[in-house]
Amino acid sequence: MTNNILQAFLEPQLQALQDKGLYNTIDTMEGPNGAIIKINGMDLINLSSNNYLGFSNDARLKEKAIAATEAYGVGAGAVRTINGTMTIHNVLEAKLAEFKHTEAAIAFQSGFNCNMGAISAIMTKNDAIISDELNHASIIDGCRLSGAKVLRAKHQDMDDLRRVAKEATESGRYEKLMYITDGVFSMDGDIAKIPEIVEIAEEFGLLTYIDDAHGSGVLGGGAGTVKHFGLSDKIDLQIGTLSKAIGAVGGYVAGSQQLIDWLKVRARPFLFSTSLTPATAAACIEAIDIMEHDPERLTKLWDNGTYLKQGLANLGFDIGHSETPITPCIIGDEKLTQQFSCRLFEEGVYAKSIVFPTVPKGTGRVRNMPTSVHTKEMLDVVIAVYEKIGKELNVIN
Ligand SMILES: *Cc1c(COP(=O)(O)O)cnc(C)c1O
């Protein structure tokens, strides 16, 4: 029986994780995602989602998703290269390109798939990729898949980027060089230094690749980090996700028409995996429409971010150096961080602890993700709960 082999492989490892308290159990949400979620029958103030603009359960998006299901059905039927593209996918891609101020865009089934598809379609074993050391797991995997040499650059350290770029260029070993970075780093909320990146890229002839999963819908009037700096024509590949601020699921690459033409024939998740559902495409189109016409949501998101940061900082918490609504509360010790997060849960606040290896040892944190649909009253409750638990666990005086 092969399942004995599987059991022999899995049982000791699962047990070891459980013994070390590292086995992650997943909570069940008994309803939609939003500012309030229900878990174990309890209503909790949710500070764990990437649903920045509250789109995941938005009435207008749901209406469009239902209408698209009526018009197109529940599935696309096959990959687009074989069974064709639905009109609604073309509409979505045109909308994304316009929104990102690029010539063209291509939608994938997830942000993760964008990195799998795009990096490996452009970079080969004759090339090198310079990658910020804190880049997202999907970038790391996409780089590996490409077979290119990966050169790590210190986090947001432009001198180090320059040094690595110089060494790689002078070695004469690589056909192409690319620099890849997150647009916004989700654990600290810091923003990639795009103007300096562009300067270094021009000096050393680097291709530039910004994965803006956490910047899209948040910065640059929603269009993202690159737009925030007004450098849309300077970045070769921009990645965005439809699963965070846009509230649904999916991802996209935006760039030149030539780039998109190439990805449509070479990006493997596009070629060999069925496209987004019509409902998802319709919901995403509506979300972008709303962002373009109702900047109030973004204002609310940023106001809430500022309000929460201020409230926690005033109590004496270390909130790091976030430049976006992402609000880390750095506690340090891993066990204490986990205990803090458990106590928050008991007091009705859902914010997860993030510890090593996701962040460096000794920088355990509770990460708070306020959204545009949180009210000031909710945030006041959160701040009061933080004060209570902070004092109880001696994190603040
Ligand atoms: C979340 C995230 C992804 C994955 O996006 P999905 O659409 O959820 O697959 C990719 N890159 C970065 C930087 C992310 O933060």
Side-chain angles (χ1 to χ4, degrees), residues 18-257:
Q18 254 143 13
D19 292 346
K20 286 187 230 154
L22 294 176
Y23 187 78
N24 186 24
T25 50
I26 295 171
D27 298 318
T28 302
M29 272 187 287
E30 295 144 4
N33 200 314
I36 305 283
I37 51 171
K38 199 184 269 300
I39 292 174
N40 295 339
M42 253 170 85
D43 283 333
L44 301 157
I45 299 174
N46 181 20
L47 289 169
S48 289
S49 82
N50 302 312
N51 182 24
Y52 289 109
L53 300 174
F55 278 139
S56 70
N57 191 39
D58 184 273
R60 283 185 279 178
L61 269 66
K62 288 198 279 190
E63 220 171 87
K64 297 288 179 180
I66 291 163
T69 303
E70 295 289 356
Y72 293 93
V74 295
V79 300
R80 287 164 63 179
T81 45
I82 290 178
N83 199 119
T85 283
M86 285 174 162
T87 314
I88 199 153
H89 294 109
N90 286 335
V91 173
L92 173 64
E93 287 169 345
K95 185 111 199 146
L96 286 166
E98 184 202 319
F99 189 56
K100 299 299 277 191
H101 299 267
T102 58
E103 280 176 21
I106 176 175
F108 285 79
Q109 306 84 353
S110 70
F112 201 106
N113 268 355
C114 288
N115 286 327
M116 293 297 109
I119 303 172
S120 61
I122 302 295
M123 302 306 278
T124 74
K125 61 178 180 14
N126 301 323
D127 301 323
I129 301 169
I130 308 173
S131 178
D132 184 286
E133 63 186 343
L134 296 189
N135 276 345
H136 189 261
S138 58
I139 298 179
I140 295 168
D141 288 6
C143 290
R144 278 194 197 131
L145 192 60
S146 76
K149 173 83 178 165
V150 179
L151 308 167
R152 272 162 59 113
K154 286 194 190 128
H155 178 56
Q156 293 262 50
D157 182 335
M158 293 299 112
D159 291 334
D160 200 48
L161 169 58
R162 191 179 288 278
R163 177 189 66 78
V164 177
K166 189 162 186 289
E167 275 177 27
T169 311
E170 284 171 0
S171 78
R173 233 181 280 162
Y174 308 109
E175 283 176 10
K176 299 196 292 300
L177 289 171
M178 177 186 268
Y179 178 60
I180 302 193
T181 181
D182 282 27
V184 170
F185 289 85
S186 63
M187 296 304 153
D188 292 288
D190 50 333
I191 302 173
K193 298 168 179 161
I194 312 262
E196 285 163 270
I197 291 166
V198 166
E199 207 182 292
I200 297 168
E202 284 179 351
E203 186 177 340
F204 294 100
L206 311 179
L207 289 167
T208 47
Y209 186 115
I210 308 292
D211 178 349
D212 209 20
H214 282 275
S216 300
V218 176
L219 286 166
T225 308
V226 175
K227 177 75 190 343
H228 170 73
F229 289 108
L231 291 168
S232 300
D233 55 337
K234 300 283 188 191
I235 298 298
D236 295 302
L237 292 96
Q238 290 188 62
I239 310 307
T241 172
L242 301 168
S243 68
K244 289 175 178 151
I246 304 293
V249 72
Y252 57 92
V253 183
S256 69
Q257 186 64 53

Side-chain angles (χ1 to χ4, degrees), residues 312-313 315-321 327-332 365-366 395-396:
L312 295 183
L315 290 172
F317 284 105
D318 175 3
I319 58 161
H321 307 286
T327 305
C329 181
I330 300 162
I331 293 175
R365 68 203 55 196
V366 178
V395 176
I396 53 167

